Amino acid sequence: MAPRDAKGNKPSSGATPEEYETLCDFLRQRTGLSFGENKRYYVERRVVDRMAAVGATDFRDYLNLLRFQASGEELQLLVNQMTVNETYFFREKYQFDCLVNSVLDEIVRDRRPGDRIRIWSAGCSTGEEPYSIAIMLLEFWKRVDEFEIELHASDIDSRVLDAARAGVYEERSLQFLPPHLVSKYFTLEAPGRWRIMQDLRDSIDFSHLNLRDPDQVGRFRNLDVIFCRNMLIYFDDLGRREVAAGFWDALAPGGFVFLGHSESMARMSSLYVPRRFPEAIVYQRGHGEGQKA
């Protein structure tokens, strides 16, 4: 636990403005996460905790640990503290409705039964989003049994991935799920704690992934749908453009990207065509000729 001063306040990291800027540049380059001077208090609180945990004598000592530790373990632990993972089942449900009522039927229009459909939840946090997709497919897409469906989920935060794989949730995460779906897909583990059924846990491939790393993103190809909601707001403009280009490479021709309600692909990339469905606006992979740098 980090020490406190006489007033009970945590001390600052002791970073100069130049050192703080160096840290922010390092985090931006390695993770895509963008923090400015207006986020200094937020960042320093977490840095102070990590400095105390590793016994760093000063900020420069800690920054050197981040930059030169071969394993990258400390960077991962800091990232885990930096990321915000506020989510719940059926969040922005109208987008899931769009998936099962409009988008999937367009995707399979020229496919045969038994063909593969690939969906990726990028920035899956503790798993509510990919599990919501699975439940929506099983409950509301009439053709779910006709196709082989792959569900992939990833996050840069190793801690939340462990929670996602475990699949245990408190009542707050389930507040917008109808009771009959809670009873159908969850078992009560303890008062106020529910575990999602094993079949659903086994149906999703969870992996650790940094969206800023093109080699890691390059593992995904021929995807039909990508959900990346309310995460790119933490990236700077360059990071968003790079992620959008990586998604374009990962998608199959005609594939779709779902963004958060406050996000717009038009501000990030010209590689996509906005599609207005009855339920939501979704971004479709364009041809890319003359668009991709």
Side-chain angles (χ1 to χ4, degrees):
M1 186 172 180
R4 296 175 182 267
D5 63 22
K7 295 182 179 180
N9 298 314
K10 289 185 180 180
S12 75
S13 66
T16 66
E18 293 77 14
E19 289 172 336
Y20 176 74
E21 184 177 354
T22 298
L23 172 65
C24 292
D25 286 343
F26 176 76
L27 290 173
R28 186 183 305 112
Q29 292 169 11
R30 293 290 296 274
T31 70
L33 297 173
S34 181
F35 302 103
E37 187 63 33
N38 63 323
K39 294 287 188 180
R40 180 162 184 151
Y41 177 69
Y42 174 88
V43 172
E44 284 205 336
R45 280 195 307 165
R46 286 146 182 83
V47 168
V48 165
D49 284 342
R50 293 308 311 157
M51 286 173 62
V54 300
T57 57
D58 56 30
F59 180 82
R60 186 182 296 275
D61 183 33
Y62 182 70
L63 182 58
N64 285 335
L65 174 64
L66 287 177
R67 296 170 71 180
F68 301 117
Q69 185 184 54
S71 68
E73 179 183 0
E74 180 56 31
L75 175 59
Q76 181 63 64
L77 291 171
L78 179 61
V79 166
N80 289 355
Q81 291 218 26
M82 293 288 194
T83 50
V84 178
N85 298 289
E86 179 70 22
T87 187
Y88 47 85
F89 282 86
F90 282 13
R91 184 180 185 181
E92 297 176 11
K93 182 177 177 290
Y94 65 92
Q95 293 190 324
F96 299 132
D97 291 334
C98 184
L99 175 71
V100 298
N101 294 332
S102 301
V103 167
L104 284 175
D105 287 338
E106 179 165 326
I107 287 172
V108 302
R109 184 176 298 160
D110 298 319
R111 298 191 189 183
R112 298 178 179 179
D115 284 350
R116 183 173 300 173
I117 298 170
R118 306 187 74 210
I119 301 173
W120 176 21
S121 168
C124 68
S125 187
T126 45
E128 286 91 335
E129 179 175 90
Y131 287 134
S132 292
I133 294 170
I135 292 172
M136 289 292 299
L137 291 172
L138 291 169
E139 291 292 319
F140 301 109
W141 193 42
K142 296 179 180 179
R143 304 187 65 184
V144 65
D145 293 326
E146 297 180 32
F147 299 92
E148 180 183 344
I149 300 174
E150 289 184 3
L151 293 178
H152 301 271
S154 67
D155 204 280
I156 195 172
D157 186 333
S158 58
R159 176 192 53 191
V160 299
L161 285 171
D162 290 340
R165 293 186 183 103
V168 178
Y169 299 96
E170 297 181 355
E171 291 181 351
R172 185 178 181 281
S173 291
L174 306 178
Q175 60 184 315
F176 295 111
L177 272 180
H180 74 279
L181 294 183
V182 175
S183 299
K184 184 173 182 178
Y185 292 104
F186 296 80
T187 56
L188 186 63
E189 286 273 299
R193 291 175 60 83
W194 299 76
R195 185 185 294 273
I196 200 162
M197 63 188 296
Q198 183 73 48
D199 286 348
L200 283 188
R201 300 204 304 275
D202 292 343
S203 72
I204 298 171
D205 174 35
F206 289 100
S207 62
H208 181 264
L209 185 138
N210 179 354
L211 284 178
R212 196 67 187 272
D213 187 329
D215 292 333
Q216 293 184 30
V217 177
R219 302 201 308 258
F220 291 92
R221 286 294 181 267
N222 296 314
L223 293 161
D224 295 295
V225 178
I226 299 173
F227 278 80
C228 184
R229 305 187 303 169
N230 307 309
M231 187 181 68
L232 295 181
I233 57 176
Y234 300 106
F235 286 44
D236 61 11
D237 289 342
L238 175 59
R240 294 185 193 106
R241 290 195 296 271
E242 290 178 346
V243 171
F247 285 170
W248 191 93
D249 287 332
L251 285 166
F256 293 88
V257 175
F258 285 81
L259 297 177
H261 72 278
S262 64
E263 300 169 308
S264 171
M265 190 65 80
R267 303 190 189 115
M268 307 178 201
S269 173
S270 60
L271 294 169
Y272 298 84
V273 178
R275 294 287 308 279
R276 185 179 295 275
F277 291 100
E279 304 87 358
I281 295 176
V282 190
Y283 299 92
Q284 188 170 28
R285 183 188 193 268
H287 296 298
E289 289 87 353
Q291 297 175 310
K292 199 172 182 192

